[in-house]
Structure formats: C-alpha cells, structure tokens
C-alpha cells in the first residue's frame, strides 16, 4: 500500500498530536507523510502597511513550525518518508486543496474560548465537512490503546465509504471493528396503541448489519467484528464507546449540501474523547483506487 497522508500543523498542542497520529498511520499504510503549514497573512494585514520585508517574520515562524513538526514525526516514526511545505492562504482553503492530493488528511481539533473541550474550531469543521478524502480529527492528551475501532452504520448506501475506511484501519492495526447501529423508538404519545417489539427490532437490525457488511467482511476476512445494536441516540452510542478511532460519515443535507456536516458526525466531532475520522460520500473514489473500501457512519 502507498499514498500520501497529509497533516496540517500550526504549532499548537493538538497539531502536535495530529502529527504523531499521522506518522503512525503513514507507517501502517507505507505512505509518505506530508506536513503542511498554512501561512495566513490576512490577520496581520493593515491597510498601507507591508507585512513582508527583508526579514519576513511570518515566513521564518512558519518554517519553525514545520521544523518542530518534522522533528516530532521523525522521533516517533524514524522510517516514515517525510516531506513538508509552507502554503500561503487561509488554513481551511489550503487544507481543502491539499486534501485533493491526499489519501487521508489529519488535523488537530482547535476549540475556541471558554468551551475549548466542547467546541471545535471553524477550520476543523469546514475541512471535515468539505474535504474529498477521509479527515481524521485528533485531540491532544494521553491515549491508551484499546485495540478497537468503532464505525456507525445505517441502512443507506451512504455508509459504504465509511465502512471501507474502517475495515482498512482495523486490518492495518490488527484491531477489532465494532459495528454500531443506534435506533430509538419513535415518540408516539398521541398513538399509544402502536406497539414496538424490541426483540423483533433487534433481530431485524442485526440482519440489516449482516447484509451491509457482508461484502467488506469477504474482502477483510481477518478482521474481528462485533455487532453492536443499541437503543440510543447515535451520538451517544458512538461517543460512549471506548476505542482507538471512531469512524463516521458526513450526511450534510439541504441547500448547502457538502458544506454541512450531518448532525451525527458534527455531534461526534464535538463530544468524542479520541480521534474521529469523517468520511464523505465521495471518498468512495479513494477506496476504489486502493482496492479496499471506506466506512462511513
């Protein structure tokens, strides 16, 4: 397997965590690790005042950010092929453009203000909602290896790319893949005569899961699977599971289409304690090129 794993860096602690995660995944994929820093001059632009000069402070700072990130990557994974680049422009725009060249894009979460652990930065949300390849959002902080990956599944074809990515990750890591489908009994306070047989629902949903995963199980016979059907909200089910990676799909709806993340993927990004991979529907192209799949929730 080969390709390019791109990680966006800005010198922050979450970006450092993203470099560490990306270096490990590049090693597993036998891919090149490309470290990218977006040099955004706009916040420093003042009408009539030149930002650049004989000694461009911003450019030198950008190079220092890359040097520090490269050092982290090489110390964690000395055998990984590493390249780095400074690209001028707004971070969200730069990273979305870089994602066109990547098999995977990794970024750190960047919360703002007093709700840092609850909210993600606008760059993170824009990139996760629009990048054409899988986007992994990594949080800063110690992580204990669980040996399990979780992926959300529903009964629509839109979860296929996420399934492909999750099966690939589980195979590369030798991890168990937990297949999560969450359902909730509809509120029927005004129609109490409607009866739901929980056992029958569970049986039907497990059958749906088996049909959905059968092609991927055939491609990845070595991956251990756990079927997990829960009577819970999807966000609660996915974020309440202890795992090394949560894989979700992007189901944006409405006039803005791909500019939006679906409510489940957005909720998981906000509240998950560990790394989250967001896989859009058009990531199928990447899966087909690799001869594997991509899993979406």
């Amino acid at each position: 397997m080969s390709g390019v794993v791109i990680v966006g860096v800005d010198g922050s602690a979450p970006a450092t965590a993203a470099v560490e995660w990306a270096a490990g995944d590049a090693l597993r994929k036998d891919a090149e690790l490309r470290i990218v820093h977006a040099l955004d001059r706009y916040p420093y632009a003042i009408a009539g005042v030149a930002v650049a000069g004989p000694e461009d402070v911003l450019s030198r700072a950008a190079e220092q950010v890359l040097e520090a990130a490269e050092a982290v990557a090489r110390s964690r994974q000395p055998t990984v092929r590493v390249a780095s680049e400074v690209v001028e422009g707004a971070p969200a725009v730069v990273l979305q453009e870089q994602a066109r060249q990547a098999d995977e894009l990794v970024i750190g979460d960047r919360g703002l203000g007093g709700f840092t652990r609850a909210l993600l930065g606008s760059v993170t949300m824009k990139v996760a909602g629009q990048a054409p390849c899988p986007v992994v959002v990594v949080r800063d902080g110690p992580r204990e290896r669980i040996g399990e990956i979780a992926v959300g599944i529903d009964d629509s074809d839109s979860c296929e790319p996420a399934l492909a990515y999750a099966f690939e990750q589980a195979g590369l890591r030798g991890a168990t893949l937990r297949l999560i489908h969450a359902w909730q009994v509809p509120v029927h306070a005004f129609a109490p005569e409607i009866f739901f047989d929980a056992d029958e629902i569970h049986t039907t949903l497990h059958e749906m899961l088996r049909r959905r995963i059968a092609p991927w199980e055939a491609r990845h016979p070595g991956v251990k699977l756990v079927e997990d059907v829960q009577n819970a909200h999807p966000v609660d089910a996915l974020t309440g599971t202890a795992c090394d990676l949560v894989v979700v799909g992007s189901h944006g709806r409405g006039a803005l289409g791909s500019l939006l993340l679906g409510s489940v993927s957005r909720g998981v990004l906000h509240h998950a304690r560990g790394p989250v991979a967001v896989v859009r529907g058009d990531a199928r192209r990447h899966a087909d090129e690799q001869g594997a799949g991509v899993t979406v929730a």
Side-chain angles (χ1 to χ4, degrees):
M1 185 177 297
S2 62
V4 178
V5 174
I6 293 180
V7 57
V9 298
D10 60 5
S12 66
T16 298
V19 171
E20 295 173 348
W21 198 98
D25 219 40
L27 179 67
R28 287 185 286 269
K29 295 173 178 286
D30 187 26
E32 176 187 283
L33 175 64
R34 188 180 304 167
I35 303 172
V36 175
H37 174 67
L39 175 51
D40 188 3
R41 298 182 183 276
Y42 178 78
Y44 303 91
I46 301 175
V49 178
V51 176
E55 293 186 60
D56 189 341
V57 176
L58 294 180
S59 293
R60 285 192 286 112
E63 293 295 340
Q64 290 173 351
V65 168
L66 287 185
E67 289 172 6
E70 282 192 54
V72 169
R74 296 185 191 281
S75 67
R76 291 296 294 249
Q77 306 295 346
T79 62
V80 169
R81 305 185 304 278
V82 180
S84 61
E85 182 181 8
V86 175
V87 181
E88 297 212 12
V93 175
V94 168
L95 291 174
Q96 288 165 23
E97 185 61 32
Q98 290 288 316
R100 300 179 184 280
Q101 311 167 38
D103 297 285
E104 178 180 84
L105 177 66
V106 185
I107 53 179
D109 75 326
R110 290 300 303 273
L112 298 177
F115 300 94
T116 302
R117 303 312 304 165
L119 300 178
L120 292 178
S122 61
V123 171
T124 303
M125 298 304 290
K126 288 178 182 177
V127 173
Q130 294 181 272
C133 69
V135 175
V136 181
V137 179
V138 181
R139 285 173 166 77
D140 181 32
R143 292 186 297 276
E144 177 183 354
R145 187 179 186 277
I146 305 298
E148 188 167 294
I149 290 172
V151 59
I153 301 180
D154 58 27
D155 59 356
S156 70
D157 291 339
S158 59
C159 76
E160 291 294 302
L163 275 172
Y165 180 84
F167 266 94
E168 178 196 26
Q169 284 287 328
L172 290 172
R173 295 165 179 265
T176 297
L177 179 58
R178 180 172 294 272
L179 309 159
I180 296 178
H181 178 80
W183 64 280
Q184 292 179 294
V185 175
V187 176
H188 56 290
F190 298 101
E193 67 276 8
I194 298 177
F195 173 74
F196 293 95
D197 186 322
D199 291 337
E200 181 179 356
I201 291 174
H202 271 273
T203 299
T204 300
L205 293 177
H206 276 289
E207 291 174 353
M208 179 275 292
L209 279 182
R210 298 303 306 169
R211 290 194 302 272
R212 179 64 62 188
I213 67 172
W216 300 109
E217 190 174 13
R219 293 188 189 189
H220 303 271
V223 174
K224 180 181 177 180
L225 304 176
V226 174
E227 297 178 19
D228 189 352
V229 175
Q230 299 185 33
N231 183 1
H233 189 280
V235 173
D236 294 333
L238 288 163
T239 60
T241 300
C243 59
D244 299 313
L245 177 68
V246 177
V247 183
V248 296
S250 175
H251 298 311
R253 298 289 188 268
L256 296 182
S258 64
L259 297 181
L260 296 177
L261 286 172
S263 59
V264 172
S265 51
R266 187 170 58 249
V268 171
L269 276 173
H270 280 315
H271 300 295
R273 295 184 291 269
V276 176
V278 177
V279 188
R280 286 184 56 198
D282 53 3
R284 184 189 301 272
R285 172 176 58 87
H286 295 269
D288 292 342
E289 290 172 354
Q290 296 171 14
V294 178
T295 209
V296 179

mmCIF file with all atom_site columns, all heavy atoms in Angstrom, residues 61-74:
data_model
loop_
_atom_site.group_PDB
_atom_site.id
_atom_site.type_symbol
_atom_site.label_atom_id
_atom_site.label_alt_id
_atom_site.label_comp_id
_atom_site.label_asym_id
_atom_site.label_entity_id
_atom_site.label_seq_id
_atom_site.pdbx_PDB_ins_code
_atom_site.Cartn_x
_atom_site.Cartn_y
_atom_site.Cartn_z
_atom_site.occupancy
_atom_site.B_iso_or_equiv
_atom_site.pdbx_formal_charge
_atom_site.auth_seq_id
_atom_site.auth_comp_id
_atom_site.auth_asym_id
_atom_site.auth_atom_id
_atom_site.pdbx_PDB_model_num
ATOM 1  N N   . ALA A 1 61 ? 8.706  32.120 11.027 1.00 0.00 ? 61 ALA A N   1
ATOM 2  C CA  . ALA A 1 61 ? 7.914  31.415 12.034 1.00 0.00 ? 61 ALA A CA  1
ATOM 3  C C   . ALA A 1 61 ? 7.272  30.161 11.446 1.00 0.00 ? 61 ALA A C   1
ATOM 4  O O   . ALA A 1 61 ? 7.205  29.111 12.103 1.00 0.00 ? 61 ALA A O   1
ATOM 5  C CB  . ALA A 1 61 ? 6.836  32.352 12.582 1.00 0.00 ? 61 ALA A CB  1
ATOM 6  N N   . ALA A 1 62 ? 6.808  30.251 10.205 1.00 0.00 ? 62 ALA A N   1
ATOM 7  C CA  . ALA A 1 62 ? 6.203  29.094 9.546  1.00 0.00 ? 62 ALA A CA  1
ATOM 8  C C   . ALA A 1 62 ? 7.214  27.970 9.384  1.00 0.00 ? 62 ALA A C   1
ATOM 9  O O   . ALA A 1 62 ? 6.901  26.788 9.600  1.00 0.00 ? 62 ALA A O   1
ATOM 10 C CB  . ALA A 1 62 ? 5.645  29.506 8.185  1.00 0.00 ? 62 ALA A CB  1
ATOM 11 N N   . GLU A 1 63 ? 8.438  28.311 9.008  1.00 0.00 ? 63 GLU A N   1
ATOM 12 C CA  . GLU A 1 63 ? 9.488  27.308 8.857  1.00 0.00 ? 63 GLU A CA  1
ATOM 13 C C   . GLU A 1 63 ? 9.794  26.646 10.199 1.00 0.00 ? 63 GLU A C   1
ATOM 14 O O   . GLU A 1 63 ? 10.051 25.434 10.274 1.00 0.00 ? 63 GLU A O   1
ATOM 15 C CB  . GLU A 1 63 ? 10.749 27.930 8.274  1.00 0.00 ? 63 GLU A CB  1
ATOM 16 C CG  . GLU A 1 63 ? 10.610 28.402 6.830  1.00 0.00 ? 63 GLU A CG  1
ATOM 17 C CD  . GLU A 1 63 ? 10.361 27.251 5.859  1.00 0.00 ? 63 GLU A CD  1
ATOM 18 O OE1 . GLU A 1 63 ? 10.670 26.095 6.218  1.00 0.00 ? 63 GLU A OE1 1
ATOM 19 O OE2 . GLU A 1 63 ? 9.865  27.511 4.744  1.00 0.00 ? 63 GLU A OE2 1
ATOM 20 N N   . GLN A 1 64 ? 9.749  27.424 11.264 1.00 0.00 ? 64 GLN A N   1
ATOM 21 C CA  . GLN A 1 64 ? 9.998  26.868 12.586 1.00 0.00 ? 64 GLN A CA  1
ATOM 22 C C   . GLN A 1 64 ? 8.895  25.885 12.987 1.00 0.00 ? 64 GLN A C   1
ATOM 23 O O   . GLN A 1 64 ? 9.167  24.856 13.622 1.00 0.00 ? 64 GLN A O   1
ATOM 24 C CB  . GLN A 1 64 ? 10.113 27.991 13.614 1.00 0.00 ? 64 GLN A CB  1
ATOM 25 C CG  . GLN A 1 64 ? 11.382 28.829 13.458 1.00 0.00 ? 64 GLN A CG  1
ATOM 26 C CD  . GLN A 1 64 ? 11.386 30.042 14.384 1.00 0.00 ? 64 GLN A CD  1
ATOM 27 O OE1 . GLN A 1 64 ? 10.389 30.349 15.027 1.00 0.00 ? 64 GLN A OE1 1
ATOM 28 N NE2 . GLN A 1 64 ? 12.517 30.738 14.434 1.00 0.00 ? 64 GLN A NE2 1
ATOM 29 N N   . VAL A 1 65 ? 7.656  26.215 12.620 1.00 0.00 ? 65 VAL A N   1
ATOM 30 C CA  . VAL A 1 65 ? 6.546  25.309 12.892 1.00 0.00 ? 65 VAL A CA  1
ATOM 31 C C   . VAL A 1 65 ? 6.771  23.973 12.176 1.00 0.00 ? 65 VAL A C   1
ATOM 32 O O   . VAL A 1 65 ? 6.594  22.891 12.760 1.00 0.00 ? 65 VAL A O   1
ATOM 33 C CB  . VAL A 1 65 ? 5.208  25.932 12.453 1.00 0.00 ? 65 VAL A CB  1
ATOM 34 C CG1 . VAL A 1 65 ? 4.085  24.886 12.456 1.00 0.00 ? 65 VAL A CG1 1
ATOM 35 C CG2 . VAL A 1 65 ? 4.834  27.086 13.369 1.00 0.00 ? 65 VAL A CG2 1
ATOM 36 N N   . LEU A 1 66 ? 7.198  24.040 10.916 1.00 0.00 ? 66 LEU A N   1
ATOM 37 C CA  . LEU A 1 66 ? 7.448  22.818 10.155 1.00 0.00 ? 66 LEU A CA  1
ATOM 38 C C   . LEU A 1 66 ? 8.608  22.029 10.734 1.00 0.00 ? 66 LEU A C   1
ATOM 39 O O   . LEU A 1 66 ? 8.553  20.796 10.839 1.00 0.00 ? 66 LEU A O   1
ATOM 40 C CB  . LEU A 1 66 ? 7.736  23.147 8.686  1.00 0.00 ? 66 LEU A CB  1
ATOM 41 C CG  . LEU A 1 66 ? 6.560  23.592 7.824  1.00 0.00 ? 66 LEU A CG  1
ATOM 42 C CD1 . LEU A 1 66 ? 7.008  23.745 6.374  1.00 0.00 ? 66 LEU A CD1 1
ATOM 43 C CD2 . LEU A 1 66 ? 5.414  22.591 7.900  1.00 0.00 ? 66 LEU A CD2 1
ATOM 44 N N   . GLU A 1 67 ? 9.670  22.705 11.104 1.00 0.00 ? 67 GLU A N   1
ATOM 45 C CA  . GLU A 1 67 ? 10.832 22.017 11.662 1.00 0.00 ? 67 GLU A CA  1
ATOM 46 C C   . GLU A 1 67 ? 10.462 21.265 12.934 1.00 0.00 ? 67 GLU A C   1
ATOM 47 O O   . GLU A 1 67 ? 10.880 20.117 13.138 1.00 0.00 ? 67 GLU A O   1
ATOM 48 C CB  . GLU A 1 67 ? 11.945 23.022 11.951 1.00 0.00 ? 67 GLU A CB  1
ATOM 49 C CG  . GLU A 1 67 ? 12.608 23.591 10.698 1.00 0.00 ? 67 GLU A CG  1
ATOM 50 C CD  . GLU A 1 67 ? 13.570 24.722 11.022 1.00 0.00 ? 67 GLU A CD  1
ATOM 51 O OE1 . GLU A 1 67 ? 13.801 24.985 12.228 1.00 0.00 ? 67 GLU A OE1 1
ATOM 52 O OE2 . GLU A 1 67 ? 14.092 25.340 10.080 1.00 0.00 ? 67 GLU A OE2 1
ATOM 53 N N   . ALA A 1 68 ? 9.674  21.903 13.784 1.00 0.00 ? 68 ALA A N   1
ATOM 54 C CA  . ALA A 1 68 ? 9.255  21.245 15.031 1.00 0.00 ? 68 ALA A CA  1
ATOM 55 C C   . ALA A 1 68 ? 8.374  20.038 14.733 1.00 0.00 ? 68 ALA A C   1
ATOM 56 O O   . ALA A 1 68 ? 8.508  18.978 15.364 1.00 0.00 ? 68 ALA A O   1
ATOM 57 C CB  . ALA A 1 68 ? 8.514  22.237 15.919 1.00 0.00 ? 68 ALA A CB  1
ATOM 58 N N   . ALA A 1 69 ? 7.475  20.183 13.759 1.00 0.00 ? 69 ALA A N   1
ATOM 59 C CA  . ALA A 1 69 ? 6.583  19.074 13.409 1.00 0.00 ? 69 ALA A CA  1
ATOM 60 C C   . ALA A 1 69 ? 7.369  17.916 12.803 1.00 0.00 ? 69 ALA A C   1
ATOM 61 O O   . ALA A 1 69 ? 7.107  16.743 13.105 1.00 0.00 ? 69 ALA A O   1
ATOM 62 C CB  . ALA A 1 69 ? 5.514  19.559 12.436 1.00 0.00 ? 69 ALA A CB  1
ATOM 63 N N   . GLU A 1 70 ? 8.327  18.229 11.933 1.00 0.00 ? 70 GLU A N   1
ATOM 64 C CA  . GLU A 1 70 ? 9.164  17.176 11.348 1.00 0.00 ? 70 GLU A CA  1
ATOM 65 C C   . GLU A 1 70 ? 9.928  16.426 12.428 1.00 0.00 ? 70 GLU A C   1
ATOM 66 O O   . GLU A 1 70 ? 10.073 15.200 12.377 1.00 0.00 ? 70 GLU A O   1
ATOM 67 C CB  . GLU A 1 70 ? 10.150 17.775 10.342 1.00 0.00 ? 70 GLU A CB  1
ATOM 68 C CG  . GLU A 1 70 ? 9.539  18.117 8.995  1.00 0.00 ? 70 GLU A CG  1
ATOM 69 C CD  . GLU A 1 70 ? 10.620 18.428 7.965  1.00 0.00 ? 70 GLU A CD  1
ATOM 70 O OE1 . GLU A 1 70 ? 11.517 17.592 7.778  1.00 0.00 ? 70 GLU A OE1 1
ATOM 71 O OE2 . GLU A 1 70 ? 10.557 19.513 7.361  1.00 0.00 ? 70 GLU A OE2 1
ATOM 72 N N   . ALA A 1 71 ? 10.442 17.154 13.400 1.00 0.00 ? 71 ALA A N   1
ATOM 73 C CA  . ALA A 1 71 ? 11.195 16.521 14.482 1.00 0.00 ? 71 ALA A CA  1
ATOM 74 C C   . ALA A 1 71 ? 10.314 15.537 15.250 1.00 0.00 ? 71 ALA A C   1
ATOM 75 O O   . ALA A 1 71 ? 10.751 14.440 15.617 1.00 0.00 ? 71 ALA A O   1
ATOM 76 C CB  . ALA A 1 71 ? 11.765 17.585 15.413 1.00 0.00 ? 71 ALA A CB  1
ATOM 77 N N   . VAL A 1 72 ? 9.065  15.923 15.486 1.00 0.00 ? 72 VAL A N   1
ATOM 78 C CA  . VAL A 1 72 ? 8.132  15.040 16.189 1.00 0.00 ? 72 VAL A CA  1
ATOM 79 C C   . VAL A 1 72 ? 7.879  13.778 15.366 1.00 0.00 ? 72 VAL A C   1
ATOM 80 O O   . VAL A 1 72 ? 7.915  12.653 15.881 1.00 0.00 ? 72 VAL A O   1
ATOM 81 C CB  . VAL A 1 72 ? 6.802  15.763 16.468 1.00 0.00 ? 72 VAL A CB  1
ATOM 82 C CG1 . VAL A 1 72 ? 5.735  14.781 16.963 1.00 0.00 ? 72 VAL A CG1 1
ATOM 83 C CG2 . VAL A 1 72 ? 7.009  16.872 17.492 1.00 0.00 ? 72 VAL A CG2 1
ATOM 84 N N   . ALA A 1 73 ? 7.628  13.968 14.064 1.00 0.00 ? 73 ALA A N   1
ATOM 85 C CA  . ALA A 1 73 ? 7.328  12.827 13.197 1.00 0.00 ? 73 ALA A CA  1
ATOM 86 C C   . ALA A 1 73 ? 8.506  11.861 13.130 1.00 0.00 ? 73 ALA A C   1
ATOM 87 O O   . ALA A 1 73 ? 8.334  10.634 13.234 1.00 0.00 ? 73 ALA A O   1
ATOM 88 C CB  . ALA A 1 73 ? 6.969  13.313 11.798 1.00 0.00 ? 73 ALA A CB  1
ATOM 89 N N   . ARG A 1 74 ? 9.709  12.388 12.969 1.00 0.00 ? 74 ARG A N   1
ATOM 90 C CA  . ARG A 1 74 ? 10.893 11.526 12.837 1.00 0.00 ? 74 ARG A CA  1
ATOM 91 C C   . ARG A 1 74 ? 11.235 10.845 14.155 1.00 0.00 ? 74 ARG A C   1
ATOM 92 O O   . ARG A 1 74 ? 11.734 9.713  14.162 1.00 0.00 ? 74 ARG A O   1
ATOM 93 C CB  . ARG A 1 74 ? 12.068 12.344 12.323 1.00 0.00 ? 74 ARG A CB  1
ATOM 94 C CG  . ARG A 1 74 ? 11.845 12.897 10.918 1.00 0.00 ? 74 ARG A CG  1
ATOM 95 C CD  . ARG A 1 74 ? 13.091 13.599 10.378 1.00 0.00 ? 74 ARG A CD  1
ATOM 96 N NE  . ARG A 1 74 ? 12.793 14.340 9.156  1.00 0.00 ? 74 ARG A NE  1
ATOM 97 C CZ  . ARG A 1 74 ? 12.680 13.784 7.949  1.00 0.00 ? 74 ARG A CZ  1
ATOM 98 N NH1 . ARG A 1 74 ? 12.832 12.473 7.818  1.00 0.00 ? 74 ARG A NH1 1
ATOM 99 N NH2 . ARG A 1 74 ? 12.422 14.524 6.887  1.00 0.00 ? 74 ARG A NH2 1
#
